[in-house]
């Protein structure tokens, strides 16, 4: 991204906004050369960050992949596809606005976990068990304790179960 005044390539993003329809990111940038500010408009597809996996491999961010993982965790739970779409959309929006070139999968996993936590505790634990790859029952119980800890708002009583 070249400065229109002095043609320096280096600049820093000082503000980043996604358009209402979610297709264009408007960025305010400050040139590292002349310190003047300019605005760029970038198509969302061009600014999607690469996802960096644990083994260092990089791949394009796929919302369908995240959705698939989510719906697996929410199987037979009272969670609608619409709720899951909303989670993924919020995540996507956040990634666009961050404007990073690369995002570790761990970051995405944690963000999805956080969103699930407010939606369905069972789905949360399922997703955590796959994503965090608990090595034993103690790690699993630790996560449960964390979820149901003193900060939990949950009222005592049986969990309502939806029959499949
Ligand atoms: Zn400049």
């Amino acid at each position: 991204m070249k400065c229109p005044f002095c043609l320096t390539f280096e600049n820093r993003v000082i503000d980043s906004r996604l358009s209402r329809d979610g297709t264009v990111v408007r960025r305010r940038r400050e040139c590292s050369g002349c310190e003047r500010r300019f605005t760029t408009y970038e198509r969302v597809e061009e600014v999607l960050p690469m996802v960096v996996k644990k083994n260092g491999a990089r791949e394009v961010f796929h919302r369908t992949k995240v959705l698939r993982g989510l719906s697996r965790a929410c199987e037979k739970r009272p969670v609608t596809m619409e709720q899951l779409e909303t989670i993924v959309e919020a995540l996507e929006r956040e990634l666009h606005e961050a404007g990073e070139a690369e995002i570790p999968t761990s970051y995405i996993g944690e963000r999805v976990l956080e969103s699930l936590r407010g939606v369905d505790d069972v789905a949360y634990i399922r997703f955590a068990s796959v994503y965090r790859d608990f090595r034993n029952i103690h790690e699993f119980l630790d996560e449960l304790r964390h979820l149901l800890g003193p900060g939990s708002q949950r009222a005592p009583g049986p969990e309502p179960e939806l029959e499949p």
Side-chain angles (χ1 to χ4, degrees):
M1 204 58 69
K2 252 192 297 191
C3 168
F5 308 106
C6 72
L7 310 183
T8 297
F9 270 103
E10 278 91 87
N11 57 68
R12 129 191 121 77
V13 175
I14 48 181
D15 187 41
S16 212
R17 267 158 225 239
L18 197 61
S19 65
R20 243 173 218 294
D21 64 358
T23 60
V24 177
V25 182
R26 173 190 176 279
R27 296 221 156 95
R28 283 297 282 166
R29 295 171 181 272
E30 190 179 274
C31 173
S32 310
C34 68
E35 290 183 358
R36 275 196 270 195
R37 293 184 175 182
F38 57 99
T39 305
T40 55
Y41 297 89
E42 296 157 55
R43 304 261 330 149
V44 156
E45 301 89 85
E46 293 163 13
V47 296
L48 271 171
M50 295 297 277
V51 177
V52 186
K53 301 207 268 191
K54 264 187 221 155
N55 62 10
R58 283 157 174 73
E59 62 176 37
V60 179
F61 174 84
H62 285 298
R63 61 177 297 152
T64 45
K65 254 191 181 174
V66 182
L67 258 182
R68 210 182 306 136
L70 270 173
S71 37
R72 213 175 290 140
C74 292
E75 225 169 39
K76 296 184 183 169
R77 296 301 303 165
V79 182
T80 64
M81 202 58 197
E82 217 172 12
Q83 281 174 293
L84 299 186
E85 298 258 9
T86 306
I87 291 177
V88 178
E89 259 160 43
L91 172 68
E92 248 183 336
R93 181 168 280 264
E94 189 186 317
L95 294 183
H96 292 149
E97 288 181 346
E100 302 282 348
E102 295 182 339
I103 301 269
T105 46
S106 57
Y107 178 83
I108 292 176
E110 288 300 331
R111 297 298 292 141
V112 169
L113 261 183
E114 256 170 61
S115 326
L116 263 186
R117 190 175 176 161
V119 172
D120 188 273
D121 288 348
V122 171
Y124 171 91
I125 279 295
R126 281 187 193 152
F127 192 87
S129 76
V130 173
Y131 158 68
R132 290 218 176 119
D133 197 15
F134 297 137
R135 272 159 302 181
N136 53 53
I137 189 73
H138 298 291
E139 286 188 6
F140 187 75
L141 286 176
D142 277 349
E143 188 63 47
L144 273 180
R145 248 178 244 125
H146 181 67
L147 184 68
L148 303 171
S152 168
Q153 300 293 311
R154 171 174 298 285
E159 170 89 1
E161 267 297 345
L162 278 200
E163 285 307 317

